[in-house]
């Protein structure tokens, strides 16, 4: 078992990519692992590595890949047989068409299909199946110029529940479905967690639709 104190973390340097100094064999293996997780062609995967310190053991050593949920940031922990583990961050994305603003957009605007162009770019993070359709109705959170990528935090799902709204709380498990009325104690966008008062109880739930919240992630 590896003690966390023994990990020599090599924190990513954001000053630029140093992929040309990382052993090619390691780059190929990490790219293949990420492509398999994302179910995309290996050639589509783009990597930008953090600060790298030369290591002759890294090319063929086993590695552990963790993370990836935060806009494609992974930690690659190299596990050589006769040396201490070390880790480096890597930023992963894919070459694909991404949604961009077809014209300048103001704060508070709700996106519709005419606001969105698709343009080729490196999009960091796991691929989205239908990126343009999925953001129709989202709210612009900061001023956007024509050609800017339509990504968070610049855009976000609209608020579907406001503080004080009457909310239907749903809970389902094993074929049993329960509904109760409640009052939202805070605003929430679709998918956000919020607190809802139902009778004498304050319940944690997730906003799933206007004025509807689900207790627990699974329906």
């Amino acid at each position: 078992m590896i003690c966390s104190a023994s990990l020599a973390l090599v924190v990513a340097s954001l000053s630029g990519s140093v992929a040309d100094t990382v052993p090619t064999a390691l780059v190929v293996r990490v790219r293949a692992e990420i492509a398999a997780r994302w179910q995309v062609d290996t050639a589509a995967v783009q990597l930008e590595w953090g600060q790298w310190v030369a290591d002759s053991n890294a090319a063929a050593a086993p590695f552990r890949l963790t993370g990836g949920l935060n806009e494609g940031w992974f930690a690659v922990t190299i596990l050589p047989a006769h040396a201490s583990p070390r880790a480096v961050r890597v930023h992963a994305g894919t070459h694909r068409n991404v949604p961009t603003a077809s014209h300048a957009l103001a704060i508070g605007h709700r996106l519709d299909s005419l606001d969105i162009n698709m343009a080729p770019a490196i999009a960091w993070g796991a691929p989205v199946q239908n990126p343009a359709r999925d953001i129709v109705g989202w709210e612009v959170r900061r001023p956007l110029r024509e050609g800017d990528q339509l990504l968070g935090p610049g855009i976000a799902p609209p608020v579907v529940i406001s503080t004080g709204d009457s909310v239907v709380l749903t809970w389902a498990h094993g074929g049993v479905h329960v509904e109760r009325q409640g009052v939202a104690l805070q605003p929430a966008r679709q998918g956000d967690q919020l607190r809802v008062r139902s009778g004498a109880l304050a319940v944690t739930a997730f906003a799933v639709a206007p004025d509807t919240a689900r207790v627990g992630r699974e329906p």
Side-chain angles (χ1 to χ4, degrees):
M1 181 176 179
I2 299 170
C3 175
S4 59
S6 70
L7 287 178
L9 293 176
V10 181
V11 179
S13 169
L14 300 181
S15 59
S17 172
V18 290
D20 58 337
T21 67
V22 180
T24 300
L26 179 62
V27 173
V28 169
R29 290 189 294 138
V30 170
R31 181 179 285 121
E33 173 68 20
I34 293 172
R37 292 191 184 188
W38 287 353
Q39 297 183 332
V40 298
D41 187 87
T42 303
V45 177
Q46 174 75 18
L47 303 179
E48 287 190 354
W49 293 78
Q51 184 64 45
W52 179 260
V53 177
D55 184 348
S56 59
N57 297 312
F63 68 87
R64 181 173 63 244
L65 187 68
T66 55
L69 297 178
N70 183 20
E71 297 182 355
W73 284 105
F74 289 90
V76 180
T77 304
I78 300 160
L79 306 167
H82 303 294
S84 297
R86 57 188 296 260
V88 62
R89 291 181 75 196
V90 63
H91 203 191
T94 56
H95 293 279
R96 61 186 188 267
N97 286 331
V98 300
T100 63
S102 63
H103 55 92
L105 298 169
I107 294 174
H109 178 74
R110 295 288 183 88
L111 294 173
D112 63 36
S113 59
L114 297 179
D115 298 320
I116 304 168
N117 281 335
M118 300 301 293
I122 297 172
W124 302 108
V128 177
Q129 292 298 319
N130 298 289
R133 186 185 69 190
D134 291 347
I135 62 174
V136 169
W138 284 35
E139 180 183 339
V140 176
R141 303 296 304 281
R142 63 175 178 81
L144 296 173
R145 299 167 298 179
E146 181 179 350
D148 283 351
Q149 290 192 26
L150 297 175
L151 303 170
I155 62 172
V159 171
V160 293
I161 296 175
S162 298
T163 302
D165 279 356
S166 178
V167 175
V168 177
L169 281 171
T170 68
W171 179 86
H173 182 74
V176 177
H177 183 87
V178 177
E179 290 188 357
R180 292 192 64 176
Q181 289 295 129
V183 176
L185 300 179
Q186 62 194 98
R189 301 178 186 275
Q190 186 170 349
D192 284 353
Q193 185 173 289
L194 76 157
R195 298 284 285 172
V196 178
R197 182 167 298 283
S198 180
L201 299 176
V203 180
T204 298
F206 294 89
V208 295
D211 305 329
T212 303
R214 184 173 64 230
V215 179
R217 282 285 190 183
E218 297 300 324

